[in-house]
Amino acid sequence: MRPLLTIDSSEWDGGSGSRKPVEDRDLLTHRDASPTQVTVGRFGELNVFACPVDPDHPHRWSTQWLPKPPGAPADVSR
């Protein structure tokens, strides 16, 4: 299986800001790290995998849950 798609709840690392783009360095880390406002589960990540040998094989997926950082948007999925 090979990675096909990753959907992440944040644009950069909300803790250290280590992946924050230079042009966004003055933005607030937690509020502005999610410009699309897409949240996977409880502020995690969704990975979708595809078989490189046979496209008829079903896709596989996995989720990675992270603790909700301070200032993260409230869970509105209820």
Side-chain angles (χ1 to χ4, degrees), residues 8-75:
D8 202 330
S9 295
S10 66
E11 195 72 22
W12 59 75
D13 177 9
S16 68
S18 65
R19 296 181 180 242
K20 185 186 271 191
V22 173
E23 61 270 16
D24 293 338
R25 67 180 166 260
D26 295 330
L27 297 177
L28 298 173
T29 299
H30 297 297
R31 188 187 73 201
D32 295 321
S34 301
T36 62
Q37 299 296 307
V38 172
T39 302
V40 177
R42 293 191 173 140
F43 217 75
E45 173 180 291
L46 171 68
N47 298 293
V48 181
F49 301 90
C51 177
V53 177
D54 185 353
D56 289 333
H57 286 162
H59 289 59
R60 302 286 186 197
W61 58 273
S62 71
T63 54
Q64 180 181 19
W65 307 113
L66 305 171
K68 188 186 283 187
D75 183 5

